[in-house]
Amino acid sequence: MDGTLITTTDRFFVRNHGDVPEVDPEAYRLSVGGMVAQPLELTLRDLQAFPAHHLIATLQCAGNRRRELAQIAPIPNELEWDMEAISTAEWRGARLRDVLDAAGVQADAAHVAFLGADRIEKQGEVIGLGGSIPLEKALHPDTLLAYAMNGAPLLPTHGYPVRALIPGYIGARSVKWLTEIVVQGEPSANYYQSHAYRLYSATASPEDQGIESGVMLGEVPVSSVITSPEPGAVLPPGDCLVSGYALGGTREIVRVEVSPDDGRSWQLATLRGESLPYAWRWWDARLALSPGQHMLVVRAWDSSANTQPERIETVWNVKGYMNNAWHRVPITAR
Ligand code: MTE
């Protein structure tokens, strides 16, 4: 986390629910079916023959910043990510829209489902990770079937040879080792869409509430974090450089504010680099710190004037997803 727009591939975060499948590029086939006029069976070369599109996009896991939520109340069986389940790359691939156009989407279709070639044991079954996005997002010109990342073929850990790349959505929808696309009337019934990656009310467990009461996650909300200084840092009093990233999902980041005193007073941060849709925006601010303990806080706004919730308690949920509360970092000036 060094303030650069692009994360080098060797430092890009990895989240795999099962083992990395080995996919032979020659034998690789991507099937496109369901509510289409003409089902397709595409090789990697077929896919690469569609016009190539590239874009810079940040991928963020829905569980980013779960560790802070777990300090409020335990979140068992989930990875305790700090703020590192997020990275940015330049992606290249075919537009999903072009592939769907070639197949001919039927008029009453509403969702596009993906399935990966991994084999994960879940509820006594072996399944691939799947998920779906609304048809409207699937037809967006920036929704990709990506085969390259940062100018090179995808690495096996990141989905070689092909992954979905759904910019502005939670990472789980960017299905890796993509083998199947199904156009359908309903969202995917795959475990990772129908059970996991849903936002439950904080008041009861999913089982007590009914699985279907969880809100299906898609677009990520506005968020920002302080990456420097680190919690517990001891710094000399006076001028203190505070920096971090902000992310607006599909929306632009328009403002970031930093507080030296747990939100009693605020100062505008400087946004660095250019504003790119889907990409994190690095920011920094200089705070004058008096001797003593300080609670540094950051909050951001997006172009729809959405901002972050003040209290982490208000975003706590049983699976620990989508923590976009104000990010607080306690430090001492001495
Ligand atoms: N796709 C498959 N097939 N299997 C997976 O386990 N993990 C998902 C998504 N796509 C996953 C997957 C999750 S939860 C995230 S956050 C992103 O991939 C992470 O992508 P990365 O490992 O390239 O950073």
Side-chain angles (χ1 to χ4, degrees), residues 12-18 21 59-62 81 85 87 91 115-118 120 128-130 149 157-159 163 170-178 192 197:
F12 202 99
F13 85 100
V14 173
R15 174 67 176 116
N16 294 329
H17 287 265
L59 208 59
Q60 180 179 234
C61 188
W81 290 107
S87 303
W91 308 93
L115 184 65
D118 39 356
I120 309 162
L129 183 138
M149 176 181 178
T157 45
H158 294 295
R163 77 180 300 166
I170 60 163
R173 305 301 176 232
S174 288
V175 173
K176 302 193 269 193
W177 316 292
L178 183 66
Y192 293 95
Y197 297 106

Side-chain angles (χ1 to χ4, degrees), residues 104-160:
V105 173
Q106 290 174 9
D108 45 352
H111 297 268
V112 174
F114 308 112
L115 184 65
D118 39 356
R119 299 172 59 76
I120 309 162
E121 278 196 47
K122 253 310 143 204
Q123 301 176 319
E125 267 184 277
V126 176
I127 59 167
L129 183 138
S132 60
I133 56 172
L135 180 63
E136 193 187 355
K137 181 71 177 173
L139 296 177
H140 191 285
D142 290 332
T143 298
L144 293 186
L145 301 174
Y147 43 73
M149 176 181 178
N150 292 338
L154 293 178
L155 289 181
T157 45
H158 294 295
Y160 181 82

